[in-house]
Amino acid sequence: MLMEAQSAYRTIKVQSQETGFGAEVTGVDLSKPLPPAVLAEVKDAWARHAVLAFPDQPLTLDQLEAFTLQIGPFGHDPYVEPMPGHPNVLEVRREPDEKVTPFGGNWHSDWSFQATPPAATILRSETIPPVGGDTLYADASRAYDELSEAMKDRLAPLRAIHSASRAYGPNSAYARELHLRAMPIIVSPEADKTCVHPLVRTHPVTGRKALFVSPVYTVGIEGMAPNDADPLLAELHKHIVQDRFVYRHHWREGMVVIWDNRCTMHNALGGYDGHRRVMHRTTVAGETPT
Ligand code: SIN
């Protein structure tokens, strides 16, 4: 159930989910440059709710790029060929005859294996199947808040090891399935590199702490044997994706969703075999996680 946001937005209408995680924003036209007061309110709502959905915004690719640049500079998107003529736009496409897991179909925070992972991802729906194809978002800030104090103390000094190897390395699932997918995914030994980030990161805008781990990209914990790290990571992953932390987004065509990779994980669901799903995606550069 959506709830009218209590805080006084003057230029946009914000209706949040009951938990406060995820909100729908109307009364704004993303196809045009946003006046400073509107952009400030959009950014405020994004900081409060982490995932914002804007219905009825059938942006062209140029307009999607222009909106992205109002949020921040483009991030760097590896391992997928960008769209011709649009080096900062990826097409997330699944054809009716595909049987493989959807692109992004497991819990992750985008490109968390980068030294400066993207702050935001922006996804605009082009073709939506009549059934399935929802995206799940998990609130990694609230998941952190609800850990025991003992667990928070245990996690505080830890640094997690991130890698693209499970997704894009030579031995990854994508490597085995490349010929079964419409998307131009790039498999590379580069993906086996690792990058270390604090396991709990602090959001640079809200100051809130969030768990920064995911089953796709977190492959270990620095200085900890796999026998110890793997069960701890599995426990954290199970904790974050409990129903009470999850917002399930149902797409309609011409919707724009922006999410904050610094305090969320997401998972693209299937359930639409026999139908096409096409989305266009940009990222906004982020900072070094601290
Ligand atoms: C992604 O992980 O970026 C894909 C999300 C989606 O297609 O819903």
Side-chain angles (χ1 to χ4, degrees):
M1 197 210 304
L2 288 170
M3 299 188 345
E4 193 85 28
Q6 290 307 306
S7 58
Y9 287 107
R10 286 185 308 105
T11 66
I12 56 175
K13 184 170 173 196
V14 179
Q15 291 177 286
S16 80
Q17 300 296 318
E18 258 175 284
T19 57
F21 178 65
E24 187 168 285
V25 180
T26 51
V28 59
D29 180 357
L30 301 185
S31 71
K32 302 198 175 84
L34 301 182
V38 178
L39 184 59
E41 291 201 340
V42 166
K43 286 186 175 175
D44 180 273
W46 184 43
R48 279 174 205 273
H49 303 295
V51 183
L52 296 184
F54 300 82
D56 305 320
Q57 305 280 351
L59 307 185
T60 64
L61 296 184
D62 289 345
Q63 290 166 342
L64 175 63
E65 289 165 330
F67 171 60
T68 304
L69 289 172
Q70 290 176 83
I71 303 298
F74 290 122
H76 167 60
D77 293 314
Y79 304 124
V80 183
E81 292 287 357
M83 295 195 71
H86 296 274
N88 295 294
V89 182
L90 303 187
E91 184 170 75
V92 178
R93 169 183 286 271
R94 191 168 183 273
E95 292 294 349
D97 61 351
E98 287 188 41
K99 298 280 183 282
V100 287
T101 313
F103 176 78
N106 202 343
W107 288 104
H108 63 287
S109 171
D110 284 329
W111 309 146
S112 69
F113 51 84
Q114 294 180 330
T116 54
T121 301
I122 301 176
L123 194 61
R124 201 265 286 117
S125 50
E126 175 86 13
T127 305
I128 291 300
V131 289
D134 293 351
T135 308
L136 302 180
Y137 295 93
D139 183 346
S141 303
R142 213 178 121 215
Y144 173 80
D145 291 344
E146 293 197 17
L147 291 172
S148 68
E149 292 307 313
M151 180 59 103
K152 286 179 186 170
D153 289 345
R154 183 177 177 202
L155 300 182
L158 299 183
R159 291 165 63 76
I161 304 167
H162 296 247
S163 169
S165 58
R166 289 177 184 157
Y168 301 100
N171 298 316
S172 63
Y174 284 149
R176 290 189 293 276
E177 296 169 349
L178 274 186
H179 60 293
L180 302 173
R181 291 183 182 275
M183 278 185 67
I185 289 175
I186 301 165
V187 164
S188 162
E190 277 283 299
D192 291 338
K193 288 185 174 165
T194 59
C195 183
V196 173
H197 295 305
L199 193 149
V200 175
R201 70 182 289 185
T202 303
H203 195 285
V205 176
T206 65
R208 290 184 73 188
K209 290 185 175 173
L211 290 166
F212 192 54
V213 287
S214 76
V216 173
Y217 294 137
T218 310
V219 297
I221 297 176
E222 195 175 54
M224 203 183 268
N227 277 353
D228 296 321
D230 292 352
L232 176 57
L233 289 170
E235 181 183 343
L236 294 176
H237 296 150
K238 196 167 155 210
H239 171 73
I240 304 172
V241 303
Q242 292 177 85
D243 284 351
R244 68 182 192 280
F245 302 138
V246 171
Y247 160 56
R248 181 179 185 130
H249 179 71
H250 180 64
W251 292 92
R252 299 191 296 278
E253 280 179 3
M255 250 185 174
V256 171
V257 171
I258 176 170
W259 66 82
D260 194 324
N261 287 302
R262 300 167 291 192
C263 56
T264 67
M265 287 201 294
H266 60 281
N267 182 358
L269 298 182
Y272 56 95
D273 286 3
H275 302 282
R276 177 172 291 124
R277 183 177 184 271
V278 182
M279 322 287 274
H280 293 120
R281 194 184 108 145
T282 56
T283 53
V284 175
E287 54 288 297
T288 305
T290 55

